[in-house]
Amino acid sequence: MANNRNTYQQVQTVSVSRERLIDVATNYDYNKKDFKVFLALLTQLDGYTVPRRLNKEHQDPMNFKKIDKEALADLLSLSKKEVNKSIDKLYNDGYIEKGDNNTIKGGYRFTF
């Protein structure tokens, strides 16, 4: 019999533009491992789009996050090399970007 204790579950909502998500889903250069990494990153990274009223050079360096690639590899049952390869693909295709802020060096964020 289940007890009646209330549980607290932290839920984070991810907002991705439909066009960018379909763009990733229809990219034939991506395999299942790449999609696994992409979906896992959706739960870890934030995105950033330059507001329309600001120019393209505007940067918001506060939402870069460090990725523990070894932990991600363990979580997805992949090798660290496979995770790195998938992250490099996402970076080279412009879905994620690298950056730094005052506390994080070599962080990532989505570009949508």
Side-chain angles (χ1 to χ4, degrees):
M1 183 168 190
N3 60 26
N4 290 330
R5 284 191 238 164
N6 291 332
T7 58
Y8 174 75
Q9 181 178 2
Q10 185 175 356
V11 178
Q12 181 177 0
T13 304
V14 179
S15 178
V16 180
S17 72
R18 181 178 299 168
E19 293 81 19
R20 292 293 279 174
L21 191 57
I22 290 173
D23 192 35
V24 173
T26 57
N27 189 331
Y28 294 108
D29 293 333
Y30 288 10
N31 57 34
K32 288 181 183 179
K33 294 173 187 173
D34 298 328
F35 286 117
K36 283 174 78 171
V37 171
F38 174 74
L39 291 174
L41 290 178
L42 281 175
T43 67
Q44 296 182 16
L45 298 180
D46 293 326
Y48 182 70
T49 302
V50 177
R52 290 184 184 175
R53 59 179 165 56
L54 299 174
N55 62 21
K56 298 263 186 212
E57 288 78 36
H58 172 74
Q59 289 293 313
D60 176 23
M62 298 313 294
N63 63 352
F64 287 103
K65 291 186 178 177
K66 195 78 168 167
I67 298 172
D68 185 348
K69 295 176 184 177
E70 205 165 304
L72 189 61
D74 288 342
L75 175 71
L76 300 174
S77 299
L78 299 173
S79 71
K80 188 175 174 185
K81 182 178 179 180
E82 291 169 322
V83 169
N84 278 328
K85 186 176 177 184
S86 295
I87 289 174
D88 286 344
K89 274 187 186 180
L90 290 167
Y91 173 73
N92 291 333
D93 290 343
Y95 297 115
I96 60 176
E97 63 182 338
K98 296 178 186 177
D100 305 320
N101 63 28
N102 295 339
T103 58
I104 295 176
K105 300 292 181 211
Y108 293 90
R109 69 178 174 195
F110 280 106
T111 56
F112 39 73

